[in-house]
Amino acid sequence: MLELVDVHRTYLIGESTVQALRGVSMKIEQGEFVAIMGASGSGKSSLLQILGLLDTPDKGDYLLFGHNVNTMSEDEQAGLRNSVAGFVFQQFHLLKRMNIVDNVRLPHIYSGVKGDFRKEAVERLRQVGLEKRVDHTPNQLSGGEQQRVAIARALVRDPLIIFADEPTGNLDTKNSAEIMKILKGLHEEGKTIIMVTHETEIAAYAGRVITMRDGLIVSDERKIGRELSVTVGAAQEFEPHLAKTVSLWRDGRFTGFMQQAFQAILANKMRSFLSVLGIFVGVASVIAMMALGEGAKAAMQEQLKSMGSNMLSIRGGSAKIRGAAQGAGAVTRFTFTDVDDIAALRSLVKNATGVVNGGARIVYGNKNWSSSLNGVGFDYGTMRASVPSTGRWFTREEIQTREKVAIIGVTVVKELFGGSNPLGRTIKINRINFKVIGIAPAKGFSGPQDEDDVVIIPVTTAMYRVLGKDYLSGIFVEVISPSLIGQAKSAISEQICKRHRLKASDDSFNIRDMTEIQQMLSSTTQTMSLLLGSIAAISLVVGGIGIMNIMLVSVTERTREIGLRKAIGARKGDIMLQFLVESVGMTISGGVIGVLAGIGISLILSFFAGWAVKTSLISVVLATLFSAIIGIFFGLWPARKAAALKPVEALRYE
Ligand code: ADP
Ligand code: MG
């Protein structure tokens, strides 16, 4: 069944080499109970590890049921360790954080067979006399009991061969005898047993004793009268195990890994909490900072809109205010025809409205007040965000019929009416009676000028009844979109030149826009967002490094666990996935709590500090995604490191 041909194994320790096996050849038949004896350091464990597929020879062949192990892939070997071999170690190698049923059924995670196998595990525990201790953890058991759990674990996949390396090495005589009784029973049931020991009394249980010295077999004795417990057809039993490839997603393997990762996270609560904290802080600050940045941006956009972000103002006269160029006759006077002309530029202009400005002496009762007068068209209200929230805007008829109605700014309200309601009252503007129909929305100061110290009346009324003018002071134009401002400016300029027969060089009117202010504001918000974003990103990266650190520590600390998992059949991918699931699980949970906290923080900021905040879906998605990526990125390296370990190396790790 097993055949070694001239097997060598040499260990490298720094510069020097140790030849543990120096050409071992032997055969072991199905149903044998073999004891490998010899002094310490003679190569017994090295031999057993090669037989058990935990290690590979440097030189020589190992034939398992006629199949050369050298040609098998790592994953195939792992599969065979899971289904054909069962291991019992001197140090038991039970996982301390699981109860003993979970320890016993552990090999099933890597088997690809569906089910939870609790019943099988309990049955195996009964076989070794521990059925009453199923919920205990390994720490609550004596050494002998722990070794019996390990035997139950070795049996749970019903293997063909049991490999035992000094199974009684850590036990007293009484416990040793019990363990040997169990092994002997298993042999009688038909299992092949290969056991390493240095004690003659223990070796006496076996039917064949191989003695080693300095990496070579020096004697090989079969006891007469000890029959093999041969089972017929075992070679055929072996074949199906070889071909088996196990899918990750089917057979519930993935859920198994999730449970394992969850257990591992819970087993180190404080440490997991701390590493989750890093991601949590990072994600929460990303969300909060982005909400702040977005809020500021939205607030500024709102402000821009009230100023008219895509607004043009056309005035007669030179742009060089108070400049020498402004002589007599250098002013273009606009009329409603100009407004209509400009409004006709449909592809660029959304709205155009004429305005006329002047001064107003306003009298109410015994109070009087000087203010500025704005005569405006119907569209001015929406274009300049001047539609009152108290009272109403003008109707088109009122503007057409030169109605004497007025909307007054809050400063005027305060000066003339004090605390009382001005709506419906009659005031005198330049000695003409006007009815107050609304209060203009407060706008505050623009430079030294109080924008709320204003009276707004229909443009026709202002021109023909109050100011006695037949031309406009200027025209406001709303361009379709801010990107068309430049184009609109030149088209309008051309239009005006044509109508008034001006040369392009004439400086008798000017068109101004808000782009300067807009650019300034948007570059400020951009700088701020960038600053906030980078602070948040730094904290996320720091959090990620924290996770990597924890995972590295965890891998190092759990090296022997990794060794055991590989010994019972975990493949490289399984180990890697388990650690990845662990780190991604931690970062994602940190991310999710962080998102909630980030939203909470921004709400608190907006509530108590009155800051504008705006949580965007994209920042939430981005932060969650980012935390998952951090989990994968920073978890990958430790996971790879863990997966690359050879089972023997990992098991020997102290
Ligand atoms: P035994 O089990 O018979 O006591 P081993 O097979 O464990 O002996 O070891 C045989 C020799 O190989 C010893 O000299 C031991 O120090 C050496 N050895 C075993 N494993 C390693 C290893 N992983 N690295 C270096 N040397 C090793
Ligand atoms: Mg040994």
Side-chain angles (χ1 to χ4, degrees):
M1 168 171 80
L2 310 183
E3 186 175 1
L4 293 183
V5 185
D6 192 28
V7 162
H8 292 253
R9 179 71 171 103
T10 306
Y11 297 106
L12 270 173
I13 315 169
E15 298 286 287
S16 62
T17 56
V18 179
Q19 282 196 302
L21 299 177
R22 299 190 293 170
V24 173
S25 300
M26 66 167 185
K27 265 187 190 175
I28 294 174
E29 293 306 327
Q30 183 88 33
E32 279 196 289
F33 188 165
V34 183
I36 302 172
M37 290 202 67
S40 176
S42 55
K44 308 182 294 291
S45 296
S46 304
L47 180 62
L48 192 81
Q49 283 154 4
I50 285 175
L51 289 171
L53 298 173
L54 295 171
D55 197 8
T56 41
D58 304 323
K59 205 179 130 212
D61 288 322
Y62 173 20
L63 303 173
L64 185 59
F65 291 95
H67 298 271
N68 196 333
V69 172
N70 288 347
T71 61
M72 291 179 191
S73 72
E74 259 182 61
D75 284 356
E76 271 174 326
Q77 292 186 18
L80 290 177
R81 285 198 295 271
N82 182 259
S83 61
V84 177
F87 293 95
V88 181
F89 302 97
Q90 181 175 354
Q91 304 88 341
F92 323 137
H93 288 311
L94 301 177
L95 299 188
K96 300 273 186 285
R97 61 171 180 273
M98 299 179 179
N99 65 26
I100 64 174
V101 180
D102 288 343
N103 264 292
V104 170
R105 62 181 171 162
L106 194 61
H108 267 297
I109 302 184
Y110 305 112
S111 70
V113 186
K114 234 184 186 127
D116 81 339
F117 298 97
R118 207 187 146 80
K119 242 170 71 192
E120 284 81 349
V122 173
E123 180 50 42
R124 295 305 180 188
L125 283 168
R126 176 172 300 122
Q127 210 174 333
V128 297
L130 285 175
E131 71 274 18
K132 295 217 174 68
R133 315 289 299 268
V134 286
D135 291 322
H136 291 207
T137 56
N139 288 335
Q140 296 164 327
L141 302 183
S142 73
E145 286 166 332
Q146 288 192 44
Q147 192 62 302
R148 284 193 264 158
V149 175
I151 293 175
R153 180 181 61 197
L155 293 173
V156 78
R157 294 275 298 133
D158 197 18
L160 296 174
I161 314 158
I162 291 176
F163 297 95
D165 193 347
E166 310 261 13
T168 60
N170 283 4
L171 303 177
D172 57 27
T173 327
K174 186 170 156 280
N175 276 310
S176 297
E178 263 176 51
I179 294 296
M180 289 319 296
K181 232 168 74 191
I182 293 171
L183 287 179
K184 195 166 159 241
L186 288 171
H187 175 239
E188 277 156 13
E189 283 168 28
K191 299 266 183 250
T192 307
I193 297 181
I194 305 174
M195 174 183 73
V196 164
T197 182
H198 60 270
E199 294 173 69
T200 333
E201 307 90 79
I202 299 298
Y205 285 89
R208 175 180 173 190
V209 178
I210 295 174
T211 310
M212 296 191 66
R213 190 181 304 145
D214 297 336
L216 287 169
I217 293 177
V218 289
S219 80
D220 186 348
E221 296 165 23
R222 278 208 172 78
K223 287 185 193 155
I224 308 153
R226 296 275 186 101
E227 295 303 317
L228 306 183
S229 62
V230 181
T231 45
V232 193
Q236 285 96 304
E237 264 175 55
F238 175 76
E239 300 294 329
H241 294 297
L242 252 191
K244 192 138 129 217
T245 52
V246 182
S247 139
L248 170 63
W249 299 104
R250 271 183 326 180
D251 318 321
R253 272 157 85 76
F254 191 68
T255 35
F257 290 142
M258 296 277 277
Q259 281 164 5
Q260 299 280 311
F262 193 63
Q263 266 180 343
I265 290 171
L266 283 188
N268 278 306
K269 286 194 192 70
M270 191 60 191
R271 204 161 66 184
S272 309
F273 169 75
L274 285 177
S275 52
V276 164
L277 195 67
I279 295 295
F280 163 79
V281 169
V283 168
S285 58
V286 164
I287 300 273
M289 301 243 175
M290 276 174 90
L292 258 182
E294 283 295 309
K297 211 156 105 189
M300 283 197 196
Q301 259 160 7
E302 198 56 39
Q303 214 164 353
L304 269 181
K305 214 156 106 198
S306 78
M307 286 165 35
S309 57
N310 47 349
M311 213 56 82
L312 294 179
S313 159
I314 308 166
R315 296 259 150 185
S318 165
K320 291 176 215 145
I321 303 160
R322 285 176 228 111
Q326 208 174 13
V331 178
T332 302
R333 290 182 164 179
F334 298 110
T335 62
F336 286 112
T337 345
D338 289 296
V339 178
D340 294 341
D341 280 351
I342 293 167
L345 299 168
R346 282 270 143 245
S347 59
L348 296 167
V349 173
K350 196 165 155 197
N351 259 327
T353 190
V355 292
V356 60
N357 303 111
R361 275 205 77 71
I362 317 164
V363 180
Y364 175 71
N366 56 1
K367 296 200 179 123
N368 71 82
W369 181 250
S370 290
S371 184
S372 50
L373 182 76
N374 280 355
V376 303
F378 181 78
D379 293 321
Y380 184 91
T382 44
M383 282 167 74
R384 305 289 291 160
S386 295
V387 175
S389 49
T390 311
R392 62 171 179 89
W393 186 246
F394 310 112
T395 63
R396 284 186 196 277
E397 289 75 48
E398 280 169 343
I399 292 172
Q400 227 158 41
T401 58
R402 307 175 189 179
E403 215 59 54
K404 289 176 286 183
V405 283
I407 292 169
I408 53 180
V410 287
T411 306
V412 179
V413 175
K414 203 176 73 199
E415 293 299 336
L416 294 183
F417 295 92
S420 68
N421 182 5
L423 290 188
R425 303 290 168 88
T426 304
I427 55 173
K428 278 185 195 300
I429 301 175
N430 295 0
R431 289 201 216 99
I432 304 167
N433 281 337
F434 274 80
K435 197 173 114 190
V436 178
I437 60 164
I439 301 172
K443 291 197 170 177
F445 281 80
S446 155
Q449 198 184 332
D450 180 2
E451 300 259 345
D452 295 323
D453 188 6
V454 69
V455 179
I456 306 172
I457 62 174
V459 61
T460 47
T461 319
M463 280 164 77
Y464 304 114
R465 293 196 177 201
V466 181
L467 299 172
K469 282 184 181 178
D470 61 352
Y471 58 91
L472 297 166
S473 310
I475 301 170
F476 277 108
V477 178
E478 187 180 356
V479 181
I480 284 175
S481 87
S483 59
L484 292 174
I485 289 229
Q487 241 177 301
K489 265 165 102 170
S490 52
I492 291 168
S493 180
E494 203 176 304
Q495 181 75 44
I496 293 170
C497 285
K498 210 166 80 194
R499 156 108 22 215
H500 294 268
R501 297 203 181 79
L502 300 170
K503 287 196 281 305
S505 58
D506 279 347
D507 223 4
S508 62
F509 70 95
N510 73 79
I511 307 177
R512 287 202 264 179
D513 62 43
M514 304 274 191
T515 43
E516 246 172 69
I517 304 172
Q518 211 176 343
Q519 269 165 7
M520 194 188 74
L521 282 181
S522 70
S523 81
T524 315
T525 35
Q526 235 160 32
T527 317
M528 200 171 79
S529 300
L530 209 71
L531 197 79
L532 292 176
S534 44
I535 293 172
I538 288 171
S539 55
L540 254 187
V541 169
V542 171
I545 292 173
I547 291 260
M548 179 162 85
N549 198 6
I550 299 286
M551 291 312 291
L552 271 176
V553 169
S554 169
V555 164
T556 316
E557 196 189 77
R558 284 152 66 192
T559 305
R560 285 216 273 170
E561 173 189 332
I562 294 164
L564 172 85
R565 286 177 184 275
K566 291 197 110 173
I568 61 176
R571 297 170 306 177
K572 216 172 175 165
D574 297 334
I575 297 289
M576 198 150 138
L577 198 75
Q578 191 197 327
F579 278 85
L580 260 188
V581 167
E582 218 176 296
S583 62
V584 172
M586 278 201 284
T587 44
I588 289 211
S589 49
V592 168
I593 312 171
V595 164
L596 296 180
I599 294 173
I601 289 170
S602 35
L603 287 181
I604 289 170
L605 278 182
S606 76
F607 186 76
F608 286 108
W611 293 350
V613 295
K614 203 173 148 199
T615 313
S616 59
L617 183 69
I618 188 141
S619 71
V620 172
V621 172
L622 221 69
T624 319
L625 211 70
F626 200 64
S627 57
I629 290 172
I630 280 192
I632 293 175
F633 187 77
F634 287 109
L636 204 59
W637 189 46
R640 276 179 62 108
K641 205 181 131 182
L645 291 171
K646 258 191 178 185
V648 257
E649 286 164 3
L651 277 173
R652 286 175 66 97
Y653 188 86
E654 290 303 323

